[in-house]
Amino acid sequence: MELVASNKVVGGWHKRYRHASETTHCNMTFAIFLPEAVNKGNKVPVLYWLSGLTCTDENFMQKAGAFKLANELGIAIVAPDTSPRGDDVADDAKGSYDFGLGAGFYVNATMPPYKTHYQMYDYIASELPKLVQAHFPVTTQQAISGHSMGGHGALVIGMRNAQSYSSISAFSPICNPMQCPWGVKAFTGYLGIDTKQWQQYDATALMLNQQFDAQTPILIDQGDADNFLEEQLQPWSLQKAAEQVNYPFVLNMREGYDHSYFFISSFIDEHLRFHAKHF
């Protein structure tokens, strides 16, 4: 791994690394916050944060204001990029923001030309955690969270790998991507037109159809002034599914809040405490 940047913050360290990924067949960048507890020789649990459309590893780390409480709680935070990158990585021909670079949707693409590099599900669920555990003073305790497209990724990866994560949370997640424009566009481009293949990446479909090895608790915060709420996010679909299968699920509707990091920074402490409680 190549160290790209290093900054001391609230007694801990924020660091960015670049590495050659065997999963995405390109260089990937991720950021990690290590609390000051590791300076005393302690290993700490890890929260994986998945960002949304157009974002990189930098958005959450710079805007969420999570470091102070994460340091107090002794939690490391890992923020990967949202897609593969590089000159040879296929992008949307029209250069749209919701497909291609910056919009990997945390799936394993099966359609050319995307299947060579867009293997973000395996990268997040398998390769990156192994890399982090091999190179940093962390325990095997993990939680996962994210925003918007990243909230979708956190829900899907957390639910499908219930034994690997003690808790799941999300801000403004895409809860039923098979039924929204963002999801239909991404799934068609990455996975083809067979909608049966889409179900494995739809949190609502998973909630209704999958036999869980464990029911990892889920916390969602959603702003009621979010301009994507009705068309793209649809949290009520997942809430209804959770009620049908008696899944441990909390949805907080936050009055007046939108889709931005102003919203995330307002409630990130509640999410950190939620994950700390379940470690």
Side-chain angles (χ1 to χ4, degrees), residues 48-229:
Y48 286 87
W49 174 270
L50 307 184
S51 289
L53 292 167
T54 76
C55 292
T56 68
D57 64 283
E58 297 181 280
N59 294 73
F60 176 84
M61 295 302 206
Q62 294 182 8
K63 297 179 180 180
F67 295 146
K68 186 174 182 180
L69 184 58
N71 188 63
E72 294 175 7
L73 296 172
I75 298 174
I77 302 174
V78 173
D81 204 346
T82 53
S83 79
R85 308 272 181 175
D87 292 340
D88 60 341
V89 175
D91 194 8
D92 180 63
K94 298 180 180 179
S96 59
Y97 76 96
D98 55 358
F99 187 78
L101 297 182
F105 260 84
Y106 305 102
V107 304
N108 286 338
T110 57
M111 299 297 291
Y114 303 103
K115 65 180 182 180
T116 301
H117 299 288
Y118 285 79
Q119 301 294 311
M120 289 298 294
Y121 178 91
D122 282 350
Y123 177 73
I124 300 299
S126 182
E127 182 178 7
L128 184 59
K130 290 177 182 177
L131 190 72
V132 169
Q133 290 176 15
H135 290 276
F136 299 99
V138 299
T139 70
T140 56
Q141 290 184 299
Q142 300 179 153
I144 192 164
S145 186
H147 172 232
S148 194
M149 177 187 72
H152 141 75
L155 291 168
V156 168
I157 293 171
M159 290 166 64
R160 287 179 57 182
N161 300 274
Q163 298 293 350
S164 296
Y165 301 98
S166 57
S167 51
I168 304 164
S169 76
F171 289 84
S172 315
I174 305 170
C175 292
N176 198 183
M178 293 177 65
Q179 302 298 327
C180 79
W182 279 343
V184 170
K185 179 177 181 178
F187 289 177
T188 301
Y190 294 135
L191 305 172
I193 61 174
D194 182 2
T195 57
K196 290 183 179 179
Q197 299 302 315
W198 299 7
Q199 294 181 10
Q200 62 186 313
Y201 300 113
D202 185 299
T204 299
L206 288 172
M207 183 71 74
L208 292 172
N209 299 327
Q210 183 166 318
Q211 298 297 316
F212 297 101
D213 294 329
Q215 289 189 327
T216 305
I218 294 174
L219 169 65
I220 292 176
D221 271 89
Q222 173 65 60
D224 69 359
D226 191 321
N227 60 323
F228 301 115
L229 176 59

Side-chain angles (χ1 to χ4, degrees), residues 34 43 88:
L34 294 168
K43 290 187 175 183
D88 60 341

